[in-house]
């Protein structure tokens, strides 16, 4: 078994090259971070990761982020997830984590969300 450590960027809003350099000095192999909100930012982060050969764990959020919009529908969450996956694909993530904002919704909405299929 090989243990690999990833540095999380929760609360770190600097350009990714700075925390990645710090992470490498501390024996982390890559980064775990929220998927950047735009394609341009995702491309910039992808270039940093690729330039350093660093693996990435993507964090997708739906419904508006850490504190989701209470008005967001199941379809809004699905649309957010689809867009996040599209941006994450630019960075070739090793894996992904989903923080879906439906934890404030009704149980039947959560079931609808997890039962959806993606192309």
């Amino acid at each position: 078994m090989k243990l690999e450590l990833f540095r999380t960027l929760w609360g770190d809003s600097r350009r990714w090259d700075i925390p990645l350099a710090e992470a490498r000095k501390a024996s982390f192999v890559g980064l775990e971070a929220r998927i950047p909100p735009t394609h341009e930012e995702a491309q910039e982060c992808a270039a940093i990761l690729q330039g350093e050969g660093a693996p990435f764990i993507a964090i997708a959020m739906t419904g508006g982020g850490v504190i989701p919009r209470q008005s967001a529908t199941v379809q809004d969450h699905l649309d957010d997830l689809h867009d996040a996956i599209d941006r994450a694909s630019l960075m070739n993530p090793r894996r992904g984590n989903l923080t879906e904002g439906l934890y404030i919704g009704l149980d039947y909405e959560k079931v609808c969300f997890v039962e959806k299929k993606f192309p």
Side-chain angles (χ1 to χ4, degrees), residues 2-112:
K2 180 180 177 183
L3 177 65
E4 294 183 313
L5 300 175
F6 287 74
R7 178 174 176 192
T8 185
L9 296 187
W10 278 99
D12 191 333
S13 59
R14 299 175 292 170
R15 276 181 42 100
W16 286 13
D17 54 338
I18 299 167
L20 180 56
E22 294 170 354
R24 289 285 174 88
K25 288 180 185 172
S27 299
F28 291 90
V29 298
L31 299 177
E32 175 198 49
R34 293 183 201 175
I35 299 164
T38 67
H39 275 84
E40 293 77 23
E41 290 174 277
Q43 288 171 332
E44 179 182 318
C45 292
I48 292 167
L49 293 168
Q50 290 168 1
E52 293 295 323
F56 171 61
I57 297 174
I59 301 172
M61 295 190 166
T62 68
V66 176
I67 301 174
R69 299 180 314 279
Q70 292 186 4
S71 62
T73 65
V74 170
Q75 190 60 52
D76 292 334
H77 288 278
L78 289 169
D79 292 345
D80 288 351
L81 181 57
H82 183 270
D83 292 344
I85 291 170
D86 187 45
R87 293 187 313 275
S89 68
L90 299 171
M91 296 176 283
N92 193 29
R94 180 171 293 177
R95 63 173 292 179
N97 295 320
L98 171 61
T99 302
E100 46 81 14
L102 283 172
Y103 59 84
I104 62 170
L106 302 173
D107 286 338
Y108 77 89
E109 291 176 326
K110 294 174 192 174
V111 170
C112 290

